[in-house]
Amino acid sequence: MNRFPKTIGIIMDGNRRWAKNRNLPIISGHRAGVKSLKKIVVRCCEIGVKELNIFAFSTENWNRDPFEISGIMNLIEWYLKSEIAELNKQNICFKSIGNKHNVKNGIRNLLKRAEKITFNNTGLKLSVALGYGGKQDIVFSTKKIVDKIIRGELYKEEITEKTVQQNLQSSHISNIDLLIRTSGEQRISNFLLWQVAYSEIYISEKLWPDFNPLDLDYAISSYLSRERRFGTSNIINNDI
Ligand code: FPP
């Protein structure tokens, strides 16, 4: 049996379907999604998850209808303004990853402020991926490594998996033990590609706004019942 998952990743999927099923505007689905997120964050703190990584907005999501994008951004802004005190109270250390070029200044500043306020917190590490893509992250690492080689700080022969990992934008994120995706879709969708190499994947049929703390408990029970071999013939309980 596995040890309790230290690092969890969640691809929160199905907000729009949730809204459409109820004949509600799309933004209501995203709003309900934020409510769900708040409950899952609390549950992760209660049960001692060390790292929670959530996919809030992918690089590909920028291709959505501008009205929907602006609604999601407003929600993220609202979340950062209204929740930061609560996150801090729960001893959560907040971080964000992703390319923020298209994100408005107000949100960029709020993200920095949230990171600063919660920097020394020792509880759950909550990382929000915003404008993030796993492939772009690997390109980011590659460019940093090439720069180091050009500056003579590194030799090609010295490059290892650790070098690539340490130069990722997401270098602070551990290997994901348990990757949860909601809404029945069975895809990684460019989320934390480096860290999901040996993740156990749990697909929930529920749409994200319906996913609740009990569903998280079920996902963890499923994880605990599995055997992890990391490509070897031995059962390995520890993170690699
Ligand atoms: C996926 O459902 C959801 C998104 C792309 C956006 C999720 C973002 C939030 C809930 C904002 C939360 C983030 C923070 C930090 C407050 P979908 O829109 O792809 O739904 P569908 O699969 O039914 O089309």
Side-chain angles (χ1 to χ4, degrees):
M1 190 193 262
N2 278 325
R3 292 205 185 137
F4 195 78
K6 292 196 291 280
T7 305
I8 293 182
I10 305 185
I11 301 174
M12 311 179 289
D13 200 9
N15 293 350
R16 292 190 294 192
R17 276 167 282 169
W18 185 91
K20 278 181 200 153
N21 291 346
R22 288 164 176 75
N23 287 320
L24 291 170
I26 281 174
I27 195 63
S28 306
H30 293 311
R31 204 174 292 126
V34 175
K35 277 191 193 159
S36 216
L37 172 65
K38 284 165 68 173
K39 288 186 214 151
I40 295 302
V41 168
V42 170
R43 186 73 185 136
C44 283
C45 291
E46 284 168 357
I47 59 181
V49 173
K50 301 276 180 244
E51 291 180 39
L52 175 64
N53 301 287
I54 55 153
F55 209 1
F57 198 83
S58 69
T59 39
E60 292 73 24
N61 288 153
W62 286 115
N63 299 320
R64 290 193 178 192
D65 176 65
F67 184 70
E68 184 189 354
I69 296 176
S70 112
I72 293 176
M73 291 300 146
N74 287 343
L75 269 176
I76 292 176
E77 186 168 8
W78 172 84
Y79 177 85
L80 290 167
K81 279 185 185 157
S82 63
E83 277 301 296
I84 186 62
E86 187 54 34
L87 295 179
N88 197 28
K89 209 166 96 188
Q90 292 176 63
N91 196 24
I92 289 170
C93 176
F94 178 92
K95 291 242 180 319
S96 78
I97 51 166
N99 184 336
K100 313 290 184 329
H101 285 343
N102 293 332
V103 174
K104 64 179 188 178
N105 270 339
I107 297 183
R108 275 207 292 259
N109 292 336
L110 283 166
L111 288 166
K112 278 190 208 140
R113 182 170 160 265
E115 290 187 3
K116 203 169 156 194
I117 292 174
T118 64
F119 186 78
N120 290 317
N121 288 350
T122 54
L124 177 74
K125 288 183 181 154
L126 173 64
S127 197
V128 174
L130 178 56
Y132 179 81
K135 284 190 176 182
Q136 290 84 344
D137 201 357
I138 293 169
V139 171
F140 178 90
S141 170
T142 310
K143 286 183 178 168
K144 271 177 75 182
I145 292 170
V146 171
D147 281 344
K148 285 177 188 173
I149 292 175
I150 290 171
R151 289 198 300 267
E153 295 166 12
L154 186 71
Y155 290 107
K156 187 183 102 184
E157 293 70 24
E158 293 173 329
I159 297 172
T160 61
E161 284 186 14
K162 199 168 178 187
T163 323
V164 178
Q165 186 275 326
Q166 286 175 336
N167 285 283
L168 291 169
Q169 195 201 17
S170 59
S171 60
H172 61 284
I173 297 177
S174 308
N175 289 325
I176 306 278
D177 295 315
L178 171 62
L179 177 68
I180 298 171
R181 181 167 189 149
T182 56
S183 89
E185 302 292 345
Q186 306 188 4
R187 284 187 294 278
I188 308 280
S189 296
N190 207 11
F191 184 46
L192 292 171
L193 294 182
W194 188 267
Q195 292 88 343
V196 301
Y198 281 102
S199 300
E200 292 296 324
I201 301 180
Y202 179 89
I203 307 289
S204 167
E205 292 302 321
K206 285 202 175 175
L207 303 177
W208 175 249
D210 292 326
F211 191 84
N212 60 43
L214 200 57
D215 296 310
L216 177 69
D217 294 349
Y218 286 141
I220 292 175
S221 304
S222 161
Y223 171 88
L224 290 172
S225 69
R226 301 184 196 178
E227 291 172 351
R228 297 183 86 189
R229 293 194 176 82
F230 298 99
T232 76
S233 54
N234 303 320
I235 297 165
I236 299 170
N237 288 319
N238 290 321
D239 199 5
I240 46 171

